[in-house]
Amino acid sequence: MAEGQWSPGRKEADADEFRPVLDIVEPARQRRLTVLLRLLLLVPHFIVLFLLHIAAFFTVIVGWFAALVLGRLPDPVFRFLTGVLGYDMRVSASDMLLIDRYPPFALTPPADYPVQIEVRPTPLNRLAVLFRIFLMIPAAIVQSLAVYGWWALAFVWWLITLCLGRMPRPLFEATAATLRYRMRFSAYVMMLTPAYPKALFGDDGLAVPPEQARSATRPLVLSSAAKWLVVLFLVLGLAGHITSSLTASTTDDTTDTQLVDRT
């Protein structure tokens, strides 16, 4: 699909549980000037996101107590957190070079905007809500490694996109899979869904029949090259975290030694 050509299609079938959906309309080309200045152009959005995340943090706390009592999020809380998540995904899709169109300064985007999310109000298991902070740890590790790994080579992805005027399809798929997993993790943390984050390596192609596909990422079927790129992200993320830990440990040891010597 070309940018701006939005085809609603039918909703993703619910097999066992509905998982939050990230729809991205892949642009045929990207303007090299906007790619060159992408992060600079998004600075105003980063400021807005910082403030929204502060508000969302306190809203999640309120929502957590409410969900323990009601077994669901109150409608105003659900709508606000959904808006924040969507805003985050639109900005993230832009800074990860998945789209070329500038994000709007709104919690609700235009209907033809090439990045949309879909979450549905769903009853929540009170026990899962109570222990959400512990349950999310494995998914938090996975999404941290994948995102860290992508950004470790962000300059390479930026240079490729700048030279070609587009993101190669395997890289687009792997990047979209990484962002979608982060979106699903955030939705789980915010209690917008009871569904645990899944499908980092894409869908099986059966979520939506190809002839009725809603966007480039529904279904998100990864090629072999894209899956290997996701593996690369995870490996780089792991290596980066290990290196950071060792560096921090070495720095602490050096500081302790200096303090002892001075004493």
Side-chain angles (χ1 to χ4, degrees):
M1 290 183 181
E3 179 176 334
Q5 295 179 347
W6 190 257
S7 176
R10 70 178 181 85
K11 291 183 181 296
E12 182 178 283
D14 293 47
D16 298 316
E17 59 183 359
F18 176 80
R19 293 192 292 273
V21 175
L22 176 65
D23 278 310
I24 300 177
V25 178
E26 182 182 8
R29 301 287 297 178
Q30 296 202 40
R31 293 165 293 176
R32 289 182 173 86
L33 182 60
T34 63
V35 173
L36 177 66
L37 303 175
R38 184 63 53 91
L39 293 181
L40 182 62
L41 293 171
L42 290 174
V43 167
H45 282 290
F46 296 149
I47 297 172
V48 174
L49 264 180
F50 174 75
L51 299 175
L52 284 176
H53 283 156
I54 293 175
F57 173 78
F58 292 104
T59 305
V60 167
I61 293 176
V62 173
W64 183 80
F65 284 105
L68 283 178
V69 176
L70 303 175
R72 61 178 178 82
L73 285 181
D75 289 342
V77 172
F78 182 88
R79 287 195 297 270
F80 175 71
L81 292 179
T82 299
V84 172
L85 180 60
Y87 193 106
D88 187 1
M89 289 302 105
R90 290 188 289 278
V91 175
S92 296
S94 182
D95 69 31
M96 294 179 80
L97 306 174
L98 289 169
I99 59 170
D100 189 47
R101 187 169 164 184
Y102 197 71
F105 288 94
L107 293 183
T108 303
D112 66 343
Y113 193 76
V115 179
Q116 306 276 349
I117 69 168
E118 183 181 345
V119 290
R120 301 178 187 175
T122 309
L124 300 171
N125 183 302
R126 290 179 175 85
L127 190 60
V129 171
L130 179 62
F131 294 103
R132 183 65 50 110
I133 194 170
F134 301 105
L135 294 173
M136 71 184 192
I137 291 175
I141 294 172
V142 172
Q143 73 92 26
S144 176
L145 294 180
V147 173
Y148 190 103
W150 190 94
W151 281 101
L153 290 179
F155 178 77
V156 177
W157 314 141
W158 172 81
L159 192 61
I160 291 172
T161 306
L162 181 64
C163 292
L164 298 179
R166 61 179 178 83
M167 180 173 276
R169 182 66 190 183
L171 180 57
F172 175 89
E173 293 171 356
T175 303
T178 300
L179 182 60
R180 187 181 69 169
Y181 191 89
R182 184 168 80 80
M183 183 271 293
R184 289 179 170 175
F185 170 74
S186 297
Y188 184 76
V189 172
M190 292 178 174
M191 294 167 293
L192 295 173
T193 177
Y196 204 74
K198 297 176 183 176
L200 175 60
F201 288 91
D203 301 320
D204 58 7
L206 300 178
V208 175
E211 67 275 7
Q212 299 186 41
R214 179 170 181 173
S215 69
T217 57
R218 183 191 280 191
L220 180 55
V221 182
L222 271 61
S223 63
S224 296
K227 290 179 180 179
W228 279 111
L229 280 172
V230 174
V231 171
L232 176 63
F233 299 163
L234 293 171
V235 171
L236 289 174
L238 180 60
H241 282 296
I242 292 175
T243 302
S244 298
S245 298
L246 291 176
T247 302
S249 177
T250 303
T251 301
D252 291 340
D253 291 342
T254 302
T255 302
D256 293 340
T257 302
Q258 291 175 345
L259 289 174
V260 171
D261 291 341
R262 289 174 182 175
T263 303

